[in-house]
mmCIF file of all heavy atoms in Angstrom:
data_model
loop_
_atom_site.group_PDB
_atom_site.id
_atom_site.type_symbol
_atom_site.label_atom_id
_atom_site.label_comp_id
_atom_site.label_asym_id
_atom_site.label_seq_id
_atom_site.Cartn_x
_atom_site.Cartn_y
_atom_site.Cartn_z
ATOM 1 N N VAL A 93 -15.814 73.323 38.590
ATOM 2 C CA VAL A 93 -14.926 73.097 37.413
ATOM 3 C C VAL A 93 -14.743 74.517 36.751
ATOM 4 O O VAL A 93 -13.658 74.913 36.364
ATOM 5 C CB VAL A 93 -15.587 72.078 36.468
ATOM 6 C CG1 VAL A 93 -14.871 72.186 35.086
ATOM 7 C CG2 VAL A 93 -15.473 70.707 37.024
ATOM 8 N N MET A 94 -16.029 75.282 36.589
ATOM 9 C CA MET A 94 -15.885 76.559 35.923
ATOM 10 C C MET A 94 -15.215 77.551 36.660
ATOM 11 O O MET A 94 -14.528 78.300 36.101
ATOM 12 C CB MET A 94 -17.309 76.991 35.551
ATOM 13 C CG MET A 94 -18.008 76.222 34.379
ATOM 14 S SD MET A 94 -16.974 76.155 32.873
ATOM 15 C CE MET A 94 -16.645 77.785 32.639
ATOM 16 N N THR A 95 -15.289 77.548 38.015
ATOM 17 C CA THR A 95 -14.527 78.526 38.812
ATOM 18 C C THR A 95 -13.152 78.352 38.750
ATOM 19 O O THR A 95 -12.340 79.310 38.611
ATOM 20 C CB THR A 95 -15.069 78.420 40.258
ATOM 21 O OG1 THR A 95 -16.564 78.786 40.169
ATOM 22 C CG2 THR A 95 -14.426 79.462 41.122
ATOM 23 N N VAL A 96 -12.666 77.111 38.865
ATOM 24 C CA VAL A 96 -11.198 76.794 38.782
ATOM 25 C C VAL A 96 -10.712 77.232 37.397
ATOM 26 O O VAL A 96 -9.699 77.840 37.242
ATOM 27 C CB VAL A 96 -10.877 75.340 39.084
ATOM 28 C CG1 VAL A 96 -9.451 74.992 38.738
ATOM 29 C CG2 VAL A 96 -11.194 74.985 40.622
ATOM 30 N N LEU A 97 -11.463 76.781 36.314
ATOM 31 C CA LEU A 97 -11.079 77.021 34.964
ATOM 32 C C LEU A 97 -10.977 78.595 34.848
ATOM 33 O O LEU A 97 -9.947 79.090 34.191
ATOM 34 C CB LEU A 97 -12.116 76.391 34.007
ATOM 35 C CG LEU A 97 -11.768 76.705 32.464
ATOM 36 C CD1 LEU A 97 -10.497 75.864 32.062
ATOM 37 C CD2 LEU A 97 -13.070 76.201 31.620
ATOM 38 N N PHE A 98 -11.889 79.321 35.217
ATOM 39 C CA PHE A 98 -11.891 80.792 35.070
ATOM 40 C C PHE A 98 -10.796 81.432 35.787
ATOM 41 O O PHE A 98 -10.069 82.285 35.225
ATOM 42 C CB PHE A 98 -13.253 81.364 35.599
ATOM 43 C CG PHE A 98 -13.398 82.826 35.300
ATOM 44 C CD1 PHE A 98 -13.923 83.297 34.047
ATOM 45 C CD2 PHE A 98 -13.147 83.819 36.253
ATOM 46 C CE1 PHE A 98 -14.132 84.669 33.763
ATOM 47 C CE2 PHE A 98 -13.221 85.153 35.880
ATOM 48 C CZ PHE A 98 -13.669 85.502 34.691
ATOM 49 N N GLY A 99 -10.481 80.933 37.010
ATOM 50 C CA GLY A 99 -9.450 81.458 37.776
ATOM 51 C C GLY A 99 -8.024 81.289 37.320
ATOM 52 O O GLY A 99 -7.236 82.113 37.135
ATOM 53 N N VAL A 100 -7.860 80.010 36.655
ATOM 54 C CA VAL A 100 -6.567 79.720 35.925
ATOM 55 C C VAL A 100 -6.372 80.488 34.684
ATOM 56 O O VAL A 100 -5.293 80.996 34.417
ATOM 57 C CB VAL A 100 -6.451 78.132 35.771
ATOM 58 C CG1 VAL A 100 -5.303 77.902 34.884
ATOM 59 C CG2 VAL A 100 -6.418 77.430 37.029
ATOM 60 N N ILE A 101 -7.440 80.584 33.832
ATOM 61 C CA ILE A 101 -7.352 81.186 32.583
ATOM 62 C C ILE A 101 -7.167 82.678 32.584
ATOM 63 O O ILE A 101 -6.385 83.367 32.049
ATOM 64 C CB ILE A 101 -8.473 80.739 31.603
ATOM 65 C CG1 ILE A 101 -8.338 79.346 31.236
ATOM 66 C CG2 ILE A 101 -8.525 81.592 30.248
ATOM 67 C CD1 ILE A 101 -9.475 78.714 30.420
ATOM 68 N N THR A 102 -8.141 83.411 33.479
ATOM 69 C CA THR A 102 -8.150 84.899 33.536
ATOM 70 C C THR A 102 -7.448 85.458 34.672
ATOM 71 O O THR A 102 -7.181 86.619 34.629
ATOM 72 C CB THR A 102 -9.647 85.200 33.584
ATOM 73 O OG1 THR A 102 -10.183 84.924 34.870
ATOM 74 C CG2 THR A 102 -10.556 84.586 32.490
ATOM 75 N N ARG A 103 -7.183 84.617 35.673
ATOM 76 C CA ARG A 103 -6.556 85.039 36.870
ATOM 77 C C ARG A 103 -7.364 86.219 37.582
ATOM 78 O O ARG A 103 -6.810 87.318 38.164
ATOM 79 C CB ARG A 103 -5.149 85.505 36.645
ATOM 80 C CG ARG A 103 -4.035 84.521 36.683
ATOM 81 C CD ARG A 103 -3.869 83.810 35.391
ATOM 82 N NE ARG A 103 -2.659 84.232 34.793
ATOM 83 C CZ ARG A 103 -2.309 83.860 33.438
ATOM 84 N NH1 ARG A 103 -3.059 83.056 32.810
ATOM 85 N NH2 ARG A 103 -1.091 84.309 32.984
ATOM 86 N N LEU A 104 -8.692 86.249 37.519
ATOM 87 C CA LEU A 104 -9.545 87.361 37.968
ATOM 88 C C LEU A 104 -10.293 86.627 39.167
ATOM 89 O O LEU A 104 -10.586 85.353 39.094
ATOM 90 C CB LEU A 104 -10.472 87.706 36.968
ATOM 91 C CG LEU A 104 -9.889 88.480 35.862
ATOM 92 C CD1 LEU A 104 -10.928 88.757 34.727
ATOM 93 C CD2 LEU A 104 -9.416 89.842 36.306
ATOM 94 N N PRO A 105 -10.606 87.327 40.141
ATOM 95 C CA PRO A 105 -11.277 86.843 41.440
ATOM 96 C C PRO A 105 -12.762 86.826 41.311
ATOM 97 O O PRO A 105 -13.507 87.172 42.238
ATOM 98 C CB PRO A 105 -10.935 87.855 42.485
ATOM 99 C CG PRO A 105 -10.764 89.130 41.768
ATOM 100 C CD PRO A 105 -10.285 88.830 40.369
#
Side-chain angles (χ1 to χ4, degrees):
V93 170
M94 287 309 307
T95 299
V96 170
L97 183 68
F98 189 84
V100 171
I101 292 177
T102 70
R103 273 90 101 184
L104 294 168

